[in-house]
Amino acid sequence: MKVHFAAVLLLFFINGFSCAQPVSGDTLFLTRKEAEALFLNNNLDLIAQKLSIQQAEAQIIQAKLWPNPEFSISELNLWATKGQLSSGESLPPLAGNFGKNRQISAELEQLIETGGKRKKRIALESVSRDMAQLHFAELVREMKTGLRKNLYGLSYHQSFLLVLKTQHHALGQLLIGFENQYNQGNLNKTELFRLKALRLELGQQIVEAQKEIHQLQKELTVLLNIPAGRYLVADMPDPANAENLKKLSLSELVAMAHENRPDAKISVRENTWAQKKYELDYAERKPDLTLGANYDRGGNFLRNFIGFGLKMDVPVFNRNQGAILDSRLGIERYRVGAEQKTKQIEAEVTLTFQDLQKSLEAYQSLDSANVSDLDQVFRVYTQYFVQRQISMLQYLDFFEAYLSNKRTIFLTIRQLRDNREELSYVTGTEIN
């Protein structure tokens, strides 16, 4: 009985047991590139941010437009007075019989902006458009990093869940055989109880892993804008090229961050925007001109009067002093913010680089031979246990060590992936 049961169990471990989510039409296998393609095309936050760029383009179009001329008609009498008719005074018609004895005044005005305000306004809106594009790039950078980390987390939990379910199933097979042995009086109740307790504990770990997977599924469903009923399976390649990661230089990474990070470019653009705003506000101190032409019929000693005029504010009280001061202070504020951003970038790159080095050391410390032989050793130990060549205590200790080793392997790979992505994030460059 023992030999037959051990052979069956060993055959089971050799063939394996698929414990992943059942594959169906609702299952979606995703590599990182496929997920990013879906994200860039479908994510609603990105679509909304793209619209903000188009809005900024529209503001440039608006800034290029000239002010409309103003046309007004006034002093129009709808009928002639009795006094006018009795005095014999009359006005000839304007056209045919229309406009006889009708007084009318018409005026046409055109605002002329001085100080290059229009060009300065266009320049200001152009900088705003550039900032909108950089904000889009910054949003992509942040959300893509979150997407990748969620994929790596999903891969970690699904991989460990597969191990848990496989061992849970294996313990179930063991319990079937051991319950038969117990019923035949060949096994004491304590050993059977400990195996059942271990299987119960594995069941709880499976539930916790499934909760983590469901949470990541929810976040990825929103990020990718796909139906909520789809089950995602993360198909992740090897974590990274360790040799390339070892060659990274901190000074080069800091320089790359200053050059490539969208938020660093935004900080520079903010300074430019503040300077353009100051130039526009300073130009506003100069009064604009309003050129006018008017026609007056029957309003003075000239029957048909055509005149021209010029109008402007007299800058006695308001010379836009407050707005100019506000813009000047804004330049200083953005300058200080740019210095702070520089220090923040350097600190982020330095700390993330150090974290990556630690994760790389942990990853390289994994014994590849031990990793590949771990499942085989576990099958051998299980066979020994079934054949009663090792004790229950020895088997349970190895069982816990096996699960701990599996978790450590998956966690080490996940941490290396996460730290690599974090370094890509803080440098604004793809690190492979």
Side-chain angles (χ1 to χ4, degrees), residues 142-261:
E142 292 179 358
M143 297 187 70
K144 184 184 287 187
T145 301
L147 171 68
R148 290 177 176 179
K149 286 186 176 182
N150 283 337
L151 286 172
Y152 298 150
L154 184 63
S155 176
Y156 162 75
H157 287 294
Q158 286 178 335
S159 297
F160 192 60
L161 177 63
L162 179 62
V163 172
L164 292 175
K165 282 189 172 183
T166 300
Q167 303 315 314
H168 189 266
H169 179 80
L171 280 178
Q173 298 298 314
L174 276 176
L175 279 171
I176 293 174
F178 274 71
E179 283 176 345
N180 290 334
Q181 292 290 309
Y182 173 73
N183 293 332
Q184 296 174 15
N186 298 327
L187 189 70
N188 62 56
K189 191 173 184 179
T190 301
E191 290 183 315
L192 185 63
F193 176 79
R194 295 194 68 176
L195 280 178
K196 287 184 176 181
L198 178 59
R199 192 166 189 264
L200 185 64
E201 181 182 349
L202 278 179
Q204 182 59 35
Q205 292 186 43
I206 288 173
V207 171
E208 294 299 324
Q210 288 173 332
K211 287 182 179 179
E212 295 290 340
I213 289 174
H214 292 160
Q215 178 64 29
L216 290 168
Q217 292 273 340
K218 181 188 73 173
E219 295 178 6
L220 286 169
T221 296
V222 175
L223 282 171
L224 301 178
N225 191 22
I226 59 177
R230 303 297 296 273
Y231 183 83
L232 302 178
V233 177
D235 183 12
M236 294 292 104
D238 292 336
N241 188 323
E243 294 302 319
N244 287 346
L245 295 179
K246 288 172 61 177
K247 297 176 182 178
L248 294 175
S249 165
L250 178 58
S251 59
E252 292 178 356
L253 291 172
V254 172
M256 290 164 56
H258 287 306
E259 181 180 355
N260 297 321
R261 275 181 58 158

Side-chain angles (χ1 to χ4, degrees), residues 8 27 85 88 95 110 131 138 150 155 163 166 181 188 200 222 232 253 314 324 339 351 354 361 364 427:
V8 171
T27 301
L85 296 175
Q110 176 64 55
M131 290 174 62
E138 175 67 7
N150 283 337
S155 176
V163 172
T166 300
Q181 292 290 309
N188 62 56
L200 185 64
V222 175
L232 302 178
L253 291 172
V314 180
I324 292 173
E339 292 181 3
L351 293 177
Q354 293 172 352
E361 290 175 7
Q364 291 180 314
T427 59

